[in-house]
Structures are given as C-alpha cells and as structure tokens.
Amino acid sequence: PKPPELPDKRPMVAIIIDDLGYEKEAAEKFLALDGSFTYAVLPGSPLQEEIAQRAHQNGCQVMLHLPMEPKEYPGKDPGPGALLSEMSADERIGLLKKHLEALPHVKGVNNHMGSKMSENSAHMNQILSILKKRGLYYIDSRTTPKSRSLSSARLFEVPFAERDIFLDHVPEPVFIRGQLKRLVDAAEKNGKAVGIAHPYPVTWEVFSDELPGLKQKVRLVVASEVVSVRKP
C-alpha cells in the first residue's frame, strides 16, 4: 500500500507582483518563473487582459491593483482610474465596479498608494462592501500605519490579509535578498506571510536565483490561501 502523505509543514508565503499592465517583456519574464505568484494589474492598462489570461493559464492568481488617493495628492499621482476622496460615493463605487468587470479572472484587490483613503473608514467601507458582494478578498498594501482596512474587512467579513514585507523598494540585489530572508522569517514566526514586489529587472534576477532555495523553506501560494475572514 502507498504510504500516507505527510502534511506539508512549511509556512506559506504569498508574493504579489504589483504595477503590472504596461510592460509586456517584464510581465512575461515573471510569468515564466517557476513560482505561484499573484499578479496585481493596474486598471485600464493596455496589457491587463493579456496578463490576466496568461497568469490564469499558469495556475497563478490575478488581483486588481487599485489606485487610491495618497496624502500627497495631487503632487503624488496614483495614476489613471484612481479612487479619489473628492468623488461622490456613487462615482467611486461605479469606477471600482468598472475596473473589476474589465479584468478577467480577478480574485481580489490590493491598493496602489492610497494612504489618504485607507485612513477613511467610510471610503474603505464602500470599497469592501463591493468586494463582499463579488466574493473577492482584500490585501492591504499598508501604505499607512493608520489604515482602517482591517476594521472594514471585519465589518463586511471580507477575506483579508496585510502586506508583511516590501521586497524591492530599494532595487538592489543585496537588499532584495535580505528582504526575502525577512519574509521567510515572518512566515516561520506566523505560519504565513505576504510579500510585495515589482516587475523590476533586478527583482527578476534575484528571484531567478533565490526561488529554488526559497521553495525548500516555504510553500509559495497564491494570495487567496493566506487571507482569512476576521469576525467583527
């Protein structure tokens, strides 16, 4: 008889690749890596449908990378299709629905910028209420320590997680390798962790080198596997 399979005790790590949709070569290089990544695609980007289809075919997951107003706006522009505090509630909700309907295979949402909106409970309640109706999860990129996303997710019982480690905000190989180690440490401590990276050439190079060793220590999973419903 076949011996029973032992449970996989490696901690779970979800790595989200942000800011996709504009550079085809960068997306294709990450899609070719041997890893279960989650691809966060910017709304209205010219390659959003192609990247979403390719990611889905590869067994990976697609998120809407939702631009939201930062505190530094308009000096710091979140880009096309951003949700802004000056909009009416109907305008924000209508724009969010439009973005979700345009992105094939979308399973969840994470914020692009959004430090101002993330601190506003009413705004986050509007966003999370739509995700609840559509059966989507939300991952807070944590662009502000005062984010109200968790309380909104609890209110609507939306599957939720937070970013643990930004992997490549300093786009240098030594730094990225160190951040990957911090991500593994966080996963070993908590049983799971979320990292966010970007489609930079240097990030791809480090991932290419580090993935075999990384997968010995942790189980690379899509983002839906690390979210959970927090009760109000």
Side-chain angles (χ1 to χ4, degrees), residues 83-99:
L83 304 191
L84 304 174
S85 56
E86 66 188 22
M87 295 174 173
S88 69
D90 286 345
E91 285 175 321
R92 277 191 297 272
I93 288 171
L95 191 55
L96 174 57
K97 288 180 177 178
K98 177 185 173 184
H99 294 337

